[in-house]
Amino acid sequence: MNRRRSRTLPAAIALALLAVPALASASASATGTSRIPKPESTLGFVPCTDYKLATYEQIAEYYRKLDAASDRMKLMEIGRTSEGRPQLMAVVSSEKNLQEKNLRRYKDISVRLSQGDKLPDSVARNLAKEGKTIAWVDFGIHSTEVAGHQTAPQFAYDLVTSETPEAREVRDNVVTLLVPNVNPDGGTKVADWYRKNLGGPYQDAGFPELYQKYAGHDNNRDWYMFNLRETQNVGRQLFHEWLPQMMHNVHQTAVFPARISIPPYEDPLNPNINPQVVRGVNLIGDAMGQRLDREGKVGALARQSYDIWWNGGARTAPYYHNQIGILTETAHASATPRVYDPKDFPATFADGTSTSQPSVFYPSPWKGGEWHLSQSCAYIVSASWAMLRQASDDREGWLYGAYQMARDGARNGGSTTYVIPADQADFPTATKLVDKLRWNNIQVERALSSFTVDGRTYPAGSYVVREAQPYRAAVLDLLNPQVYPDRRLYPGGPLEPPYDITGYTLSFQMGVTVDKLDQAVRVNTASVDWPKAPAGTVTGAPRHSYALDPRVNDSSTAVNSLLAAGEQVWRSGGEVTTRTGKLPAGTFLVKADRGTGDRVTGLARQLGLSIAAVDAAPTGLSELKAPRIGLYDGFNNYDEGWTRYVLEQFKFGFQRLDNAGVRAGDLKSRFDTIVLPDATYNSMRNGRAAGSLPAEYTGGMTDAGVANLKTFVEAGGTVVTLNRAAQLPIQAFGVPVKDVSAGVEETTYNIPGSVLNLGTDANDPVASGFAPTTAAFVSDSPVFQVNEGAQGVSVAATWPTTNILKSGFLLGEDLIGGKPAVVTSKLGQGEVVMIGFKPQHRAQSHGTYRFLFNAMYLGGQG
């Protein structure tokens, strides 16, 4: 997102522009329009008028009125948001297509063709001739990119009412799914904030907090994980209910000074994606550019910034489901008009292409001048109509192509099977992986009996994923390592930055064992709809305690619930003997007391835990109290939001600790453990500049707050730092640890979001429950080195010296190899735990959650 500033319009001109209509309606002479309400009748203003933003509630109200007034729209609620708002989707087509019987038929055709491996070619061709293209347009996923959700009312009105030949053909040939806001909560927050500050010093300051409850702007990073309610609501429609052949995901801001970024995108191309998807993306992108130029809307830019590699965004995840995913980024994410002076333009884009001279992918450069919200909205409208025109003109081709891709996916993977063994230590997390696969509509089976392959016997209950299936691309991408190409801007220069990350293999991130077998496996199975937690058990009535396995993430969920209920819990310093065998150091032991058995049994069944009886007290026990956790929130930190999500999922009690709270001091009276999510030292210390926002949002913890954190540790508290937050204790606490990557050029050290192998020491309490090796997600991460002769320092995890990269891209093996990855340093009576990567990355890396959990427990451990 470009944040270049430009001059605001003179006040007199700006006021005059309030009266400029935001969008020219596509409806030239709509029949019956007198009974169809226009958006302004509900909103109180024409959509996309300067200085005006509608809330989600206003837009939803208009969609309901439009639905009630027209037989060309059907409105449905697709779920509730993270904050409880109803999320809407409109289905728009001709009156005939929307008759219940016909609509059900077209939906069924789309689904059947997308599962084309089960169809003879002749049947598929007939279905393609009969069916209608299902096309998707969504708005507002990033709430501060206001043009999208402000366009939604007018676009729906035009699509419903327009009687141009093009509009009639689109309604006849296409069933269009419109989502007026992918993030309704944020849409209202941003609109309310702008209205509140309109005319004041913070009018254009931007919303200062996370506009999505947990993810903020990262809500477009959840599309293979489906953690967020909004992602689930939309994903259910995209990948399970309707299976559209194409979708347009609307964003702002374009690569400056372009007015809109469109496909074709730039390399690299993920090799798992079907060529028809890539051709379709390019075709629709070219159609968008052609239409924009025909309409005099110059400044459309292609082949910049956005690649086709990473799986996880709203427009990229569809690629792995044989769908054409289109992202556009229009200019000027604001309701405030501006004047842009071409003298302020950069001479070139990132790849060296001129911003002022025509080129192959920027043939009509924008020359600067006034820009209004209405223009941004108009570009979105044109791009969306261009896609719908393509959907209409080649209706049969898009439908048959979806069938071909599904058929080919099933044909090409017949010799490979993935097995998720039921006898792995943390099988509840393996079941969560299966849940993610099912959200992606990947076919999964459950073994009804044990089976043996190449001498390895898999127990009943193991999951089987066959590569031969319609969405083979998704299977390949989520269960295999990524090999990101070494692309340099010039020989010996820095790596071409990826659009997002380079390695994200889901099984690696979640720490789940998945065996890839190079053969088709014959086994008695049943299809899995949605997986259930394995049957939990409690073995025996203990004389001393109940033992919970520290290798299982949800043992922490149970322990936190038991502590909240007043149960007594210990952690073991060594191995524990139970009636069913031995458990490693760090085992949780729950005192067998009156009523405890019922609580433990209930949690075992709920979470799928195998809990064993312990008859004699092990040596080296330390009592565990529920730590009073403070989660540092410096405002609008995505990593804080994801951390908060993870803590809530696993029932950790915590309080959010803002900058004012850190500055106030007396931290030890309120907290046992303080967690600093990923952030730089300077951003935590300094915060936002004074005057940029209201005072409560500016300034960081300051040097005084940093000193208060140090005092907290010295008084016996535990500070846990995630990824770059280690800069704070390294630079300000005097811990005997260095970050040897500081100041190193990215031509020497660069890990742009990858999964690395990691060695662990389970004797260290921070690594309790880990096997000797695991995998960790690394991005913009420090490289620790413990000072020679340092005292009071322990290392829980270390990067290997060879075979470091597991998935993605790594430059700098010599720098990171053999270095500590998780370090605990004593300071006074307390300790600082520095985790040199993202153990809870976007609530995806379940495999390293326990580093965070164990570190937090230190604050409550006697």
Side-chain angles (χ1 to χ4, degrees):
M1 297 275 170
N2 193 285
R3 300 299 182 202
R4 290 179 59 87
R5 294 183 177 272
S6 61
R7 298 194 307 269
T8 57
L9 289 170
I13 298 176
L15 290 173
L17 288 168
L18 287 171
V20 175
L23 290 177
S25 171
S27 175
S29 58
T31 59
T33 53
S34 59
R35 66 182 180 84
I36 306 292
K38 292 187 175 182
E40 53 266 36
S41 67
T42 298
L43 306 184
F45 55 89
V46 174
C48 299
T49 298
D50 288 338
Y51 303 105
K52 301 284 187 179
L53 291 180
T55 65
Y56 174 72
E57 283 75 13
Q58 289 177 294
I59 295 170
E61 181 185 359
Y62 175 68
Y63 265 57
R64 292 188 181 98
K65 290 181 178 179
L66 185 59
D67 173 48
S70 175
D71 293 333
R72 297 173 179 174
M73 174 190 275
K74 286 186 180 292
L75 191 63
M76 60 187 67
E77 181 179 322
I78 59 175
R80 293 275 167 164
T81 68
S82 296
E83 296 182 10
R85 289 178 172 85
Q87 190 160 16
L88 302 179
M89 182 181 79
V91 184
V92 180
S93 196
S94 69
E95 296 93 328
K96 181 180 179 181
N97 291 345
L98 289 185
Q99 291 174 10
E100 185 175 349
K101 179 181 178 181
N102 293 335
L103 185 61
R104 186 167 57 246
R105 176 60 176 166
Y106 298 139
K107 182 179 180 181
D108 178 66
I109 288 172
S110 180
V111 172
R112 290 182 67 191
L113 290 172
S114 75
Q115 301 292 311
D117 59 311
K118 297 179 176 64
L119 291 177
D121 187 80
S122 59
V123 173
R125 288 189 180 278
N126 288 333
L127 289 174
K129 290 178 181 178
E130 179 187 354
K132 306 296 182 183
T133 308
I134 310 296
W136 173 286
V137 182
D138 66 59
F139 305 97
I141 187 170
H142 286 157
S143 302
T144 49
E145 301 169 9
V146 297
H149 46 99
Q150 298 305 300
T151 300
Q154 187 72 52
F155 187 77
Y157 174 81
D158 291 344
L159 190 58
V160 165
T161 64
S162 176
E163 292 299 333
T164 65
E166 178 183 60
R168 291 177 184 151
E169 290 176 5
V170 166
R171 285 195 299 269
D172 286 343
N173 294 318
V174 181
V175 174
T176 303
L177 309 179
L178 294 182
V179 177
N181 202 317
V182 178
N183 183 30
D185 300 339
T188 290
K189 290 176 183 177
V190 168
D192 284 344
W193 172 265
Y194 184 79
R195 291 171 169 183
K196 174 184 175 182
N197 291 285
L198 185 62
Y202 309 119
Q203 171 181 301
D204 299 313
F207 188 68
E209 301 183 65
L210 295 177
Y211 53 69
Q212 200 286 333
K213 182 177 180 180
Y214 298 107
H217 208 72
D218 250 8
N219 67 341
N220 196 30
R221 303 295 185 269
D222 188 46
W223 292 88
Y224 57 70
M225 202 66 187
F226 295 97
N227 285 313
L228 306 175
R229 289 186 182 179
E230 295 85 349
T231 319
Q232 293 176 359
N233 296 341
V234 170
R236 188 179 291 110
Q237 305 305 316
L238 279 174
F239 303 146
H240 292 264
E241 293 289 330
W242 288 90
L243 290 307
Q245 286 71 58
M246 61 187 65
M247 62 91 71
H248 181 198
N249 180 227
V250 172
H251 286 255
Q252 283 177 292
T253 301
V255 180
F256 190 79
R259 297 295 86 192
I260 185 171
S261 294
I262 60 174
Y265 303 120
E266 63 178 356
D267 286 318
L269 169 65
N270 191 307
N272 296 322
I273 299 170
N274 192 290
Q276 281 200 51
V277 168
V278 184
R279 297 290 189 188
V281 169
N282 296 346
L283 175 66
I284 292 174
D286 285 339
M288 288 177 169
Q290 185 76 281
R291 187 183 190 108
L292 288 162
D293 276 326
R294 285 173 177 171
E295 295 174 353
K297 298 182 176 77
V298 300
L301 172 70
R303 291 292 295 269
Q304 290 284 341
S305 185
Y306 310 102
D307 60 36
I308 306 185
W309 179 265
W310 165 70
N311 181 348
R315 65 96 185 175
T316 57
Y319 299 155
Y320 303 88
H321 297 81
N322 305 325
Q323 297 169 340
I324 312 302
I326 304 294
L327 171 142
T328 60
E329 296 263 5
T330 52
H332 188 76
S334 175
T336 302
R338 294 186 185 277
V339 173
Y340 292 91
D341 191 331
K343 291 187 298 184
D344 297 328
F345 291 3
T348 66
F349 296 109
D351 67 349
T353 301
S354 173
T355 62
S356 60
Q357 298 301 312
S359 56
V360 172
F361 294 104
Y362 193 51
S364 54
W366 185 61
K367 301 299 184 181
E370 296 179 5
W371 196 264
H372 307 273
L373 177 60
S374 60
Q375 291 169 280
S376 299
C377 296
Y379 274 58
I380 291 170
V381 167
S382 295
S384 298
W385 276 101
M387 185 188 78
L388 295 181
R389 177 66 179 267
Q390 292 297 311
S392 174
D393 288 354
D394 193 21
R395 172 187 58 79
E396 186 176 336
W398 295 116
L399 289 165
Y400 184 69
Y403 155 74
Q404 287 180 307
M405 289 186 279
R407 177 200 65 195
D408 293 347
R411 285 179 179 175
N412 296 335
S415 61
T416 305
T417 308
Y418 303 81
V419 179
I420 304 172
D423 55 2
Q424 56 188 294
D426 192 359
F427 192 57
T429 296
T431 302
K432 293 178 183 180
L433 169 62
V434 173
D435 181 74
K436 306 307 179 186
L437 299 180
R438 288 299 302 133
W439 271 110
N440 282 275
N441 208 356
I442 290 171
Q443 297 168 4
V444 182
E445 303 162 43
R446 184 173 180 272
L448 300 178
S449 57
S450 64
F451 61 101
T452 301
V453 182
D454 292 338
R456 163 72 153 103
T457 297
Y458 295 95
S462 298
Y463 292 106
V464 177
V465 181
R466 304 186 190 278
E467 194 174 285
Q469 56 177 291
Y471 306 138
R472 177 173 178 254
V475 176
L476 287 168
D477 208 52
L478 295 179
L479 298 182
N480 289 277
Q482 284 75 49
V483 182
Y484 191 80
D486 189 337
R487 297 174 55 84
R488 306 299 178 110
L489 296 172
Y490 52 86
L495 183 75
E496 257 185 46
Y499 171 65
D500 191 76
I501 59 178
T502 64
Y504 44 85
T505 309
L506 193 52
S507 51
F508 295 168
Q509 286 201 74
M510 294 187 71
V512 174
T513 298
V514 179
D515 292 340
K516 184 177 181 180
L517 309 177
D518 294 327
Q519 58 184 287
V521 174
R522 299 186 64 180
V523 55
N524 183 24
T525 64
S527 296
V528 174
D529 187 9
W530 295 101
K532 299 178 181 178
T537 59
V538 177
T539 305
R543 297 187 183 93
H544 177 264
S545 56
Y546 298 91
L548 282 74
D549 193 336
R551 298 172 296 176
V552 179
N553 281 349
D554 271 315
S555 288
S556 290
T557 312
V559 165
N560 293 334
S561 297
L562 291 165
L563 288 171
E567 299 287 355
Q568 187 172 3
V569 181
W570 301 276
R571 291 205 83 169
S572 71
E575 197 173 61
V576 174
T577 300
T578 77
R579 291 191 196 169
T580 58
K582 295 184 181 297
L583 290 176
T587 293
F588 299 97
L589 297 168
V590 184
K591 181 180 179 181
D593 211 338
R594 181 178 299 177
T596 304
D598 290 341
R599 290 193 181 101
V600 167
T601 300
L603 289 164
R605 291 173 177 168
Q606 174 190 341
L607 301 171
L609 303 177
S610 296
I611 300 176
V614 176
D615 292 324
T619 59
L621 294 184
S622 58
E623 187 169 5
L624 178 62
K625 301 291 186 183
R628 299 171 301 162
I629 298 170
L631 178 60
Y632 174 64
D633 179 10
F635 297 117
N636 205 13
N637 181 346
Y638 313 152
D639 203 56
E640 178 275 327
W642 286 122
T643 307
R644 178 162 30 92
Y645 175 87
V646 171
L647 298 190
E648 288 181 7
Q649 294 297 304
F650 288 87
K651 308 301 181 186
F652 282 92
F654 66 94
Q655 295 181 40
R656 294 171 77 174
L657 175 62
D658 62 14
N659 286 314
V662 178
R663 294 193 298 263
D666 195 26
L667 298 172
K668 191 65 182 72
S669 68
R670 293 182 285 154
F671 304 109
D672 302 307
T673 298
I674 293 176
V675 179
L676 304 181
D678 180 39
T680 65
Y681 176 41
N682 285 337
S683 69
M684 290 185 282
R685 181 180 60 183
N686 301 329
R688 296 186 177 102
S692 62
L693 283 164
E696 62 266 31
Y697 296 109
T698 61
M701 60 176 68
T702 72
D703 288 337
V706 174
N708 288 337
L709 280 175
K710 185 177 181 182
T711 299
F712 165 78
V713 178
E714 292 173 332
T718 299
V719 164
V720 182
T721 68
L722 308 183
N723 209 42
R724 294 173 301 167
Q727 293 175 10
L728 189 149
I730 288 174
Q731 297 183 37
F733 288 4
V735 296
V737 178
K738 297 176 182 176
D739 174 10
V740 296
S741 71
V744 176
E745 295 292 335
E746 64 177 17
T747 52
T748 300
Y749 173 66
N750 192 350
I751 308 176
S754 301
V755 183
L756 306 187
N757 285 305
L758 180 65
T760 66
D761 178 4
N763 293 317
D764 189 297
V766 180
S768 291
F770 278 95
T773 59
T774 188
F777 179 84
V778 179
S779 179
D780 296 324
S781 298
V783 178
F784 297 142
Q785 179 174 291
V786 178
N787 295 349
E788 188 174 352
Q791 301 295 312
V793 176
S794 62
V795 175
T798 304
W799 303 115
T801 55
T802 60
N803 192 31
I804 303 173
L805 179 65
K806 198 168 180 71
S807 181
F809 181 89
L810 164 63
L811 180 65
E813 281 194 354
D814 293 343
L815 184 70
I816 194 173
K819 296 294 196 306
V822 180
V823 179
T824 301
S825 178
K826 297 289 185 183
L827 185 64
Q829 299 178 54
E831 52 203 341
V832 179
V833 182
M834 292 166 283
I835 303 175
F837 50 87
K838 296 184 177 183
Q840 61 355 333
H841 168 66
R842 292 175 177 163
Q844 297 176 13
S845 51
H846 291 239
T848 50
Y849 281 0
R850 291 192 302 281
F851 284 116
L852 173 60
F853 296 171
N854 289 335
M856 292 190 299
Y857 280 137
L858 291 178
Q861 201 163 329

